[in-house]
């Protein structure tokens, strides 16, 4: 896990090479990295979807998920951390702790995942290992424990010094780092290495009393005992082991694999795993193959060849093909067809899988992200996966009208794969609204629809759901009279129209003496409602209006339900026109969280967006602002906020109330309305 471009995929490629899974090294920049298999990933050189793989190192099976670094795909990191037992946090030796580094760190805190750190890109001229370690301590509030320091000749990275063994490792460029030699520490690094070893021993003494006694007594402590205490401190979160290297230059990856095995937890270390029964009682699993089967679905993916793949972490027991399991989240059974062990988008079919493994199941129909699957007699639920709410929306439509049904099918399938994506019909504007985590996120989805389903789409910013209302009470008259030789049409109503609070529309019949027959009253109300939906000024729906039918007349022969419906519509239009109508705009309640040093510019920007600050305060290490801002001013705000806060700021938004638009906004709406009418008339 890391900020974008810190080297996650490159590091994973080296792990697969050194563990023998691949016989070549894939490169992100060349578009042939094993873990970046989507076309969009190859073209952009970024990871978009979390890819799982499996490898073995020194007798241990390691399940790896390579996650995206871009904030738009943060849900992929969250659901991966939910099912994994440990994480490697990568940091660029040049940039250090970057904005998305903080985001994924908080996600790992959320799921209490033990971590080790790898300071990558130490081959770069501006790389500064100790500066990066200080940033980890200061910004992430971690307790870094340096286990390696780089050995450099000018800007060239030669290898690293192992602080525990007090030896230096030099990597052979000709063999892509497969061969390396272990030598004495260079003279200019000896003093630093000794000081760091003393610090390491003192840190470990604080973790374990027995170790402290041996250390203070001056006893010779074996390397295995030092690693045991480092492991203990890592699992508890008391320390963060820090290693270094350059994955791109094939240096430092084998010690990183060693550290994963030595310091990160196996499933047995993380257990007991907490669960709840259907009745809500708490329980725990040891996470062994002998227990009943249980697993958590953490990702859904549609494969063009095999159909739906359900990625699952197995927490206990074992699962075999052909078995029937219970989906406790949905209350239904599923039959296990094929079980696949994952290697990015390549698959190895297996007959069974057991506790601690990650696999994919082919063909599960009613499964969603976060569902708990178990044996039929084991009705439990695991904590589900937290999904962030979408923050950016666009209006979408297919270029060909015949593709409308296909569009709904395709995008509904994408929302099953990606729960941070949402597609819905806006009942106010009639638009189909696609919402996601950012502009890149939505761009990728639109691109996938085109490539995978030959579905060309149009997109635009969604319309603002404006409303119309009135500001004073008036009387409106509606007459619909039509003579055409035979039977004519006659409807006449007098309406009292007034503004109200707390309701969109109220209709009251105050006719006395039968001046309008009872059977036509509902038609008058229907005509009024129809005009309410169409609006009067600019075609926006009318709200907060009370209509009283107070008078009128009818014709014994010519009056009809249609005539009174049209009279009701005309009467409301006449009344609204005279009642000082205004346009209302939706105001959103926006909760913004930003680092303290970014507060000033963010507040200044809110003023330019016609925002009013309702609340300001501290929330953990961040400042928060609650503001009321017109929805029209919020389009594109996600990108702007990320830019202003270096990617660290975030916000949530919900509807607050409607309020009249300022005069200059009203003038713009009038101009747009005139332009639309002109284009409709003259093309």
């Amino acid at each position: 896990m890391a900020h974008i471009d810190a080297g996650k995929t490159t590091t994973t490629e080296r792990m697969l090479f050194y563990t023998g899974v691949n016989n070549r090294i894939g490169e992100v920049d060349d578009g042939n990295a094993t873990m970046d298999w989507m076309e969009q990933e190859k073209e952009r050189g970024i990871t978009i979807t979390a890819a799982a793989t499996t490898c073995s190192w020194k007798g241990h099976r390691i399940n790896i998920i390579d996650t995206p670094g871009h904030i738009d795909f943060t849900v992929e990191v969250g659901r991966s951390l939910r099912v994994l037992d440990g994480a490697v946090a990568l940091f660029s030796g040049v940039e250090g702790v970057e904005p998305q580094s903080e985001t994924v760190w908080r996600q790992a805190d959320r799921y209490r995942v033990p971590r080790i750190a790898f300071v990558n890109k130490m081959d770069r001229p501006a790389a500064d290992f100790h500066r990066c370690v200080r940033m980890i301590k200061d910004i992430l509030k971690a307790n870094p424990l340096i286990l390696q320091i780089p050995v450099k000749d000018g800007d060239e990275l030669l290898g690293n010094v192992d602080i525990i063994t007090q030896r230096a490792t030099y990597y052979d460029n000709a063999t892509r780092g497969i061969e390396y030699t272990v030598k004495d520490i260079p003279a200019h690094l000896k003093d630093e290495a000794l000081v760091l070893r003393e610090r390491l021993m003192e840190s470990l003494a604080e973790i374990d009393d027995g170790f402290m006694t041996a250390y203070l007594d001056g006893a010779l402590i074996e390397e295995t005992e030092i690693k045991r205490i480092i492991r203990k401190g890592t699992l508890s979160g008391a320390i963060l082991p820090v290693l270094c290297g350059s994955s791109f230059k094939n240096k430092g990856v084998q010690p990183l694999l060693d550290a994963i095995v030595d310091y990160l937890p196996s499933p047995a270390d993380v257990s007991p795993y907490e669960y709840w029964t259907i009745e809500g009682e708490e329980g725990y699993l040891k996470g062994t193959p002998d227990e009943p089967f249980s697993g958590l679905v953490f990702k859904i993916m549609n494969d063009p060849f095999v159909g739906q793949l359900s990625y699952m972490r197995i927490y206990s027991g074992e699962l075999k093909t052909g078995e029937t399991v219970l989906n406790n989240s949905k209350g239904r059974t599923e039959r296990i067809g094929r079980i696949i062990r994952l290697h990015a988008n390549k698959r190895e079919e297996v007959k069974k899988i057991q506790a601690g493994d990650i696999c994919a199941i082919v063909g599960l129909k009613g499964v969603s992200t976060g569902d708990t699957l178990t044996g039929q007699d084991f009705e439990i639920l695991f904590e589900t996966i937290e999904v962030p709410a979408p923050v950016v929306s666009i209006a979408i439509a297919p270029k060909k009208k015949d593709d409308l049904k296909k569009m709904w099918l395709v995008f509904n399938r994408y929302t099953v794969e990606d729960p941070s994506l949402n597609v819905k019909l806006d009942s106010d504007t009639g638009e189909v609204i696609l919402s996601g985590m950012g502009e890149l996120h939505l761009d990728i989805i639109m691109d996938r629809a085109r490539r995978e389903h030959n579905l060309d789409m149009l997109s635009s910013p969604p319309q603002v759901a404006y409303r119309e209302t009135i500001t004073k009470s008036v009387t409106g008259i509606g007459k619909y009279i039509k003579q055409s030789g035979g039977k004519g049409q006659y409807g006449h109503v007098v309406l009292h129209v007034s503004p109200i609070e707390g309701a969109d529309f109220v209709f009251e019949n105050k006719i006395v003496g039968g001046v309008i027959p009872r059977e036509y009253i509902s038609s008058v109300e229907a005509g009024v409602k129809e005009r309410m939906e169409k609006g009067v000024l600019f075609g926006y729906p009318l709200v907060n209006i009370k209509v009283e039918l107070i008078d009128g007349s009818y014709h014994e022969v010519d009056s009809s339900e249609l005539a009174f419906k049209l009279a009701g519509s005309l009467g409301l239009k006449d009344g609204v026109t005279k009642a000082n109508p205004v346009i209302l705009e939706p105001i959103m309640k926006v909760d913004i969280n930003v680092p303290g040093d970014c507060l000033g510019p963010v507040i200044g920007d809110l003023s330019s967006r016609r925002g009013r600050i309702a609340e300001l305060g501290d929330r953990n290490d961040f400042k928060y602002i609650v503001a009321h801002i017109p929805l029209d001013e919020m389009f594109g705000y996600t990108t702007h906020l990320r830019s202003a806060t270096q990617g660290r700021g975030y916000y949530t938004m919900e509807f607050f109330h409607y309020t009249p638009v300022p005069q200059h906004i009203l003038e713009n709406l009038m101009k747009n309305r005139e332009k639309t009418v002109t284009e409709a008339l003259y093309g």
Side-chain angles (χ1 to χ4, degrees), residues 33 53 106 174 197 203 208 227 231 255 259 340 342 381 387 409 414 418 471 515-516 521 545 554 594 596 663:
T53 189
R106 287 197 300 268
R197 194 175 196 279
S203 297
D208 188 273
K227 288 185 175 181
R231 181 182 183 84
I340 292 173
L342 298 152
L381 289 168
V387 178
L409 290 171
Y414 287 152
D418 184 352
T471 57
V515 294
I516 297 177
I521 302 300
I545 292 180
Y554 75 102
V594 298
Q663 185 61 32

Side-chain angles (χ1 to χ4, degrees), residues 274-525:
E274 188 176 34
Y275 68 80
W276 286 266
T277 64
I278 302 299
E279 293 77 25
E281 296 177 3
E282 196 174 11
Y284 295 91
L285 287 169
K286 293 179 181 177
T288 66
D290 302 326
E291 293 174 300
F293 160 71
S294 67
L296 183 73
V297 175
F298 67 94
K299 181 180 171 71
I300 303 292
M301 193 180 82
N302 284 288
D303 185 279
F305 302 107
V306 300
Q308 181 170 296
L309 286 174
S310 302
Y311 285 56
M312 182 162 58
R313 160 70 194 268
I314 312 299
Y315 279 101
S316 65
E318 64 177 26
L319 183 65
K320 298 177 182 177
T321 56
E323 290 184 339
T324 299
V325 298
L326 184 63
N327 181 344
N328 290 305
S329 303
K330 299 284 194 302
R332 56 181 292 174
T333 57
E334 295 271 3
R335 188 177 180 277
I336 302 300
R338 296 163 60 194
I339 302 175
I340 292 173
R341 183 166 277 138
L342 298 152
H343 301 285
N345 69 329
K346 298 176 184 175
R347 285 120 196 182
E348 170 195 353
E349 193 165 338
V350 295
K351 296 299 181 185
K352 72 173 184 178
I353 207 90
Q354 64 180 20
D357 278 331
I358 286 176
C359 66
I361 310 296
V362 178
L364 299 180
K365 299 296 182 185
V367 173
S368 307
T369 297
D371 283 0
T372 299
L373 302 187
T374 65
Q376 287 188 277
D377 299 323
F378 192 45
E379 296 186 2
I380 67 165
L381 289 168
F382 291 116
E383 179 188 4
T384 190
I385 294 170
E386 195 174 78
V387 178
V391 295
V392 174
S393 300
I394 56 174
I396 60 171
K399 284 186 178 179
K400 302 175 185 174
K401 287 186 178 180
D402 294 344
D403 284 342
L404 186 62
K405 185 177 179 181
K406 180 181 178 182
M407 178 194 78
W408 278 108
L409 290 171
V410 169
F411 281 89
N412 282 328
R413 186 179 299 169
Y414 287 152
T415 60
V416 172
E417 287 186 25
D418 184 352
S420 68
L421 193 71
N422 182 268
V423 60
K424 66 178 181 180
L425 179 67
D426 190 320
S427 58
D428 292 325
T429 63
E431 295 176 312
V432 178
I433 304 298
L434 179 68
S435 305
M437 299 307 297
E439 292 172 8
L440 178 62
H441 187 199
L442 299 183
D443 182 46
I444 294 293
I445 293 296
M446 298 285 279
D447 191 45
R448 284 185 62 189
R450 181 177 60 81
R451 293 179 190 238
E452 296 169 8
H453 301 281
N454 195 29
L455 186 60
D456 285 325
M457 303 292 298
L458 298 168
S459 66
S460 62
Q463 294 179 25
V464 175
Y466 291 105
R467 296 286 187 268
E468 299 178 8
T469 193
I470 58 176
T471 57
K472 70 176 184 177
S473 299
V474 297
T475 299
I477 299 173
K479 278 188 178 181
Y480 183 73
I481 303 172
K482 187 175 181 181
Q483 299 295 335
S484 56
K487 183 178 183 296
Q489 296 285 355
Y490 183 92
H492 168 220
V493 298
V494 179
L495 306 175
H496 184 260
V497 182
S498 57
I500 59 167
E501 293 285 341
D504 281 347
F505 172 62
V506 173
F507 180 85
E508 289 185 5
N509 173 27
K510 293 203 171 179
I511 292 294
V512 292
V515 294
I516 297 177
R518 185 179 299 275
E519 62 265 28
Y520 297 141
I521 302 300
S522 60
S523 298
V524 176
E525 183 177 0

